[in-house]
Amino acid sequence: MSRVLVVDDEPGLRRALAINLSARGWGVTAVGDGASALEAAASSPPDVVLLDLGLPDLDGLDVIAGLRGWSDVPIIVLTARTSSADTVDALDAGADDYVTKPFAMDVLLARLRAAVRRRGAGEAALEVVEAGALRVDLARRTVTRHGEPVKLTPTEWHLLQVLVAGAGRLVTQTELLKEVWGPAYGRETNYLRVYVAQLRRKLEETPSAPRHLITEPGMGYRFEV
């Protein structure tokens, strides 16, 4: 049984989540503030954390920082904040994904399953990723499409590598820029637009309607399998 730590200061939502998740086979610990979240995570480490950003004692970013100080547990942010900047800040701080309120339970469950699956798979299982007609071999640094080799530049490969290694997870613009181009390039978002467009032309069946290299406007990109 996978265990989820729910952190939300709304008692009604906290109770609803606990009931729904328990009914679907999850072990649930539910708390209403940041200090309790950090204590619960330390005493009984969960498999995934659902974290509301608006907590009564600590900012959600502080909770993420507290968890990331010692744990790589997947963190999915629950947010009702309308500004994408808040979500980007949370992702850059170390969150793995986000779900906006109000949300559909089936979407939330899918995100939870994906987060636990990615953590359990480990890097070894991600050496080869297949997505439709694409086959990306991270160990051999090769890409094929319909069985034919695809030639990528070193920068294109590095960008694809980061996205594929986090398959299904939103990777922020800042994270991609710093990882591929270096810490001094955290704001050069035009680089991403150019190189993602190049990758789509080489890898997607229909570059104008991509299935795998997905843009999250104003936030970042996902590689969907």
Side-chain angles (χ1 to χ4, degrees):
M1 175 188 294
S2 295
R3 290 165 293 114
V4 55
L5 172 60
V6 175
V7 188
D8 197 292
D9 66 337
E10 299 179 42
L13 178 58
R14 198 163 64 239
R15 182 172 182 274
L17 284 170
I19 291 171
N20 277 278
L21 293 171
S22 296
R24 289 165 172 80
W26 291 80
V28 181
T29 300
V31 299
D33 58 73
S36 298
L38 294 173
E39 182 179 349
S43 61
S44 182
D47 296 300
V48 61
V49 176
L50 280 178
L51 174 66
D52 181 26
L53 292 180
L55 299 173
D57 57 343
L58 300 174
D59 188 274
L61 298 180
D62 293 328
V63 177
I64 294 170
L67 290 170
R68 283 290 170 261
W70 60 275
S71 174
D72 65 351
V73 62
I75 301 171
I76 299 177
V77 166
L78 292 174
T79 179
R81 298 179 181 179
T82 57
S83 169
S84 62
D86 292 317
T87 304
V88 170
D89 287 344
L91 293 166
D92 284 338
D96 296 273
D97 206 345
Y98 74 101
V99 175
T100 54
K101 298 177 182 178
F103 53 84
M105 184 56 64
D106 58 344
V107 171
L108 178 60
L109 287 165
R111 296 288 179 86
L112 286 168
R113 290 193 298 268
V116 173
R117 186 167 61 246
R118 286 195 299 270
R119 188 191 194 197
E123 292 185 0
L126 283 176
E127 286 184 354
V128 177
V129 175
E130 295 187 355
L134 298 178
R135 187 176 190 274
V136 183
D137 190 324
L138 296 175
R140 292 182 172 82
R141 300 172 64 89
T142 60
V143 184
T144 59
R145 180 181 168 203
H146 295 295
E148 296 296 322
V150 178
K151 186 175 181 180
L152 300 180
T153 68
T155 301
E156 289 170 347
W157 167 257
H158 196 175
L159 179 59
L160 180 65
Q161 181 184 41
V162 175
L163 289 168
V164 169
R169 180 175 72 87
L170 171 62
V171 186
T172 66
Q173 294 174 341
T174 302
E175 185 178 350
L176 283 168
L177 287 165
K178 289 182 177 179
E179 178 66 29
V180 178
W181 283 275
Y185 292 84
R187 296 182 181 275
E188 305 294 337
T189 56
N190 57 306
Y191 287 19
L192 293 175
R193 288 192 294 271
V194 170
Y195 278 90
V196 170
Q198 291 175 189
L199 283 174
R200 285 173 175 156
R201 285 194 290 271
K202 293 182 178 183
L203 303 179
E204 297 280 5
E205 299 290 340
T206 308
S208 60
R211 294 179 54 200
H212 307 298
L213 293 163
I214 307 301
T215 301
E216 294 275 4
M219 291 186 281
Y221 298 86
R222 294 179 191 269
F223 184 85
E224 293 287 0
V225 296

